Amino acid sequence: MQTIDLVIAGIDWLITVDPGRRIIRDAAIAVHASKIVAIGKSAEIAKNYAGTRTVDGRHTVATPGLIDCHLHASFQLSRGLADEANAQSFLFDRMYPYEAALDSEDVRVSATLAGAELLKHGVTCFIDPGNYHPEASVEGVMSTGIRCIVSRSSFDLTKSVLGILPERMIESTAVALEHAETVLERYAKSGNPRLGASASFRGLNNASDELILGLDKLARKYGTLLQTHACFSYSTHDSSVARTGMAEIERLEKLGVIDERMLIVHSGWLEPQEVAILARRKPSLVCAPSSSLHNGYGNFLFGKLPELMALGVNVTVGSDHASSGIVDMPQEIRLACCCYKETRINPRVMPPETGIEMATVNGAKAALMSDRIGSIEVGKEADIALFDTRRPEWQPLINPVANLVYSATGDSVRDVFVAGDQVVANGRLTKVDENKLYEEIPVAVSRFGKHLKFDQMVQLRWPVS
Ligand SMILES: [Zn+2]
């Protein structure tokens, strides 16, 4: 009998997402020194392992900790500020002014709320496309216990066909690259296993070739991923063609930066030759359902993600930002699966197993962390979510994969572990004082709100007395 740190036993259904995609009934997970040392039937594990700590997994479905491949931690305070806006207005009238108004304390509060909301919905790792206060972002996110890949995002072109960026967000190419390298130096090999860094340009229309090539070089130097938004609406596509004569993916191909360590967010509006490039180069792509649905970008009507997946491209899922409402991965998975069924008029498109893979093993691959997270397997870090099945939406529990994707929301997450460390217990965060956080939020909103025209941004149409 071996004494180890933690045994989670009696799990009703363990969805491993391991190479055999095993689902184990009455299962147990043995954890020691942050890693999974054994999984199996509860009775078998009990014969060999005694946990210094035990967690009762009865009435739960266990999954790998979910991976959100695209979430702006600094946008968590933007709910209600970007409704009913097309792509151009969303970016240039709402989100860029919001972003330019944030100071570092606002970003710390926003990032803390982001980590808190993600963890409470079963997410144990997320990729942030970056902001202008990466130190504050890291401080907030890391205080929650979640894993994160941070970035220092950059723009170096003031104008595009879509609009003009706020003064505070403009930098020269050299300064943008210098800031990006500072973040990579500090966080890419920080020694904190929950923290990583990436190189990021926020979009092609406000990025010069020099900036994109410089960031690609930095990503290679530090062995990290290179990420950007691309092809999220007809507007960004059209703007790219108007300025450069090339569609966005064509331009990235011409620059020679697309390969398997690139993460391209959205890719929901593609020309046929762009589909061919993505199928050949195989970057990871992020489906961001609620972002497209909230602002009507047409990513499901025109997106080619099911076809690209069939061609061997790694497709993941991301909740993008709180300004489109939900930051809830089980709901995002459901939207990804169901919206493609609806727009293709075909229920065989995107089965629930595909949705779960997008948010687990595919996410780990995109994060360049397949050897560490993404499935419940011996040797991997113990990132685990337990869903409470004693709730109406989980009943009857005949097919846990279907229930997780089609019925459940992240609200049914009971316990969450990151590297064996319990960060959510019975639905409550263990490392964050939630009451204090909820008091800090209105203070931050009134601070950054002074720089914004809320009367033009907020679409509250009914009288308030
Ligand atoms: Zn985004």
Side-chain angles (χ1 to χ4, degrees), residues 70 72 129 229 265-266 320-321:
H70 185 65
H72 297 251
H229 296 81
V265 182
H266 301 298
D320 205 353
H321 41 65

Side-chain angles (χ1 to χ4, degrees), residues 62-99:
T63 68
L66 303 176
I67 300 169
D68 189 329
C69 281
H70 185 65
L71 188 276
H72 297 251
S74 64
F75 285 7
Q76 210 69 11
L77 303 182
S78 65
R79 280 200 173 96
L81 297 182
D83 299 323
E84 283 77 65
N86 65 15
Q88 180 181 24
S89 179
F90 174 78
L91 293 175
F92 288 88
D93 302 334
R94 315 292 184 87
M95 297 315 294
Y96 292 155
Y98 160 86
E99 188 169 5

Side-chain angles (χ1 to χ4, degrees), residues 270-286:
L270 298 167
E271 289 191 353
Q273 71 276 15
E274 294 181 284
V275 174
I277 294 166
L278 293 173
R280 191 163 66 245
R281 298 292 181 200
K282 296 195 170 42
S284 287
L285 306 178
V286 184

Side-chain angles (χ1 to χ4, degrees), residues 261-314:
R261 38 99 272 143
M262 189 167 193
L263 181 70
I264 301 179
V265 182
H266 301 298
S267 304
W269 210 105
L270 298 167
E271 289 191 353
Q273 71 276 15
E274 294 181 284
V275 174
I277 294 166
L278 293 173
R280 191 163 66 245
R281 298 292 181 200
K282 296 195 170 42
S284 287
L285 306 178
V286 184
C287 178
S290 62
S291 163
S292 180
L293 292 168
H294 181 256
N295 289 4
Y297 295 143
N299 287 190
F300 291 102
L301 280 173
F302 300 103
K304 300 288 185 292
L305 297 183
E307 288 75 14
L308 284 161
M309 249 188 273
L311 291 166
V313 175
N314 186 48

Side-chain angles (χ1 to χ4, degrees), residues 104-373:
S104 61
E105 177 60 7
D106 302 329
V107 170
R108 184 196 64 77
V109 174
S110 181
T112 307
L113 180 62
E117 192 164 353
L118 288 165
L119 283 173
K120 289 185 82 167
H121 293 83
V123 173
T124 52
C125 178
F126 76 103
I127 300 175
D128 190 335
N131 59 68
Y132 289 85
H133 301 281
E135 296 83 5
S137 209
V138 166
E139 185 188 341
V141 167
M142 287 295 108
S143 72
T144 68
I146 200 168
R147 292 182 198 277
C148 178
I149 295 177
V150 297
S151 308
R152 206 290 186 170
S153 59
S154 36
F155 294 108
D156 67 340
L157 297 180
T158 317
K159 293 179 190 169
S160 74
V161 178
L162 290 172
I164 299 172
L165 284 169
E167 195 73 36
R168 276 182 87 178
M169 288 164 63
I170 303 299
E171 315 175 297
S172 69
T173 312
V175 168
L177 290 172
E178 191 185 316
H179 284 313
E181 180 148 26
T182 302
V183 164
L184 287 162
E185 262 173 13
R186 193 171 294 168
Y187 302 124
K189 304 241 172 349
S190 66
N192 178 350
R194 298 192 196 184
L195 183 58
S198 73
S200 172
F201 54 103
R202 286 276 288 283
L204 279 87
N205 289 308
N206 295 88
S208 69
D209 288 356
E210 195 187 352
L211 178 67
I212 296 170
L213 290 169
L215 289 169
D216 180 56
K217 204 168 155 188
L218 286 176
R220 290 177 197 281
K221 178 176 170 185
Y222 289 89
T224 66
L225 58 96
L226 172 68
Q227 54 168 324
T228 188
H229 296 81
C231 316
F232 82 84
S233 73
Y234 177 74
S235 308
T236 61
H237 163 80
D238 200 37
S239 175
S240 174
V241 173
R243 198 174 70 78
T244 68
M246 286 175 280
E248 292 161 272
I249 301 300
E250 283 182 301
R251 183 170 164 222
L252 293 175
E253 173 72 350
K254 186 166 176 245
L255 291 171
V257 298
I258 312 181
D259 62 21
E260 289 191 19
R261 38 99 272 143
M262 189 167 193
L263 181 70
I264 301 179
V265 182
H266 301 298
S267 304
W269 210 105
L270 298 167
E271 289 191 353
Q273 71 276 15
E274 294 181 284
V275 174
I277 294 166
L278 293 173
R280 191 163 66 245
R281 298 292 181 200
K282 296 195 170 42
S284 287
L285 306 178
V286 184
C287 178
S290 62
S291 163
S292 180
L293 292 168
H294 181 256
N295 289 4
Y297 295 143
N299 287 190
F300 291 102
L301 280 173
F302 300 103
K304 300 288 185 292
L305 297 183
E307 288 75 14
L308 284 161
M309 249 188 273
L311 291 166
V313 175
N314 186 48
V315 177
T316 69
V317 65
S319 51
D320 205 353
H321 41 65
S323 47
S324 55
I326 58 168
V327 175
D328 181 335
M329 282 300 279
Q331 286 200 58
E332 296 287 357
I333 298 168
R334 174 172 176 269
L335 290 172
C337 293
C338 292
C339 290
Y340 271 116
K341 291 181 196 301
E342 163 68 11
T343 52
R344 302 296 165 85
I345 318 177
N346 185 349
R348 284 159 51 85
V349 174
M350 302 278 272
E353 288 81 2
T354 300
I356 293 175
E357 287 170 349
M358 287 166 71
T360 54
V361 284
N362 295 10
K365 185 176 178 192
L368 309 180
M369 294 170 77
S370 288
D371 56 333
R372 295 174 55 197
I373 60 173

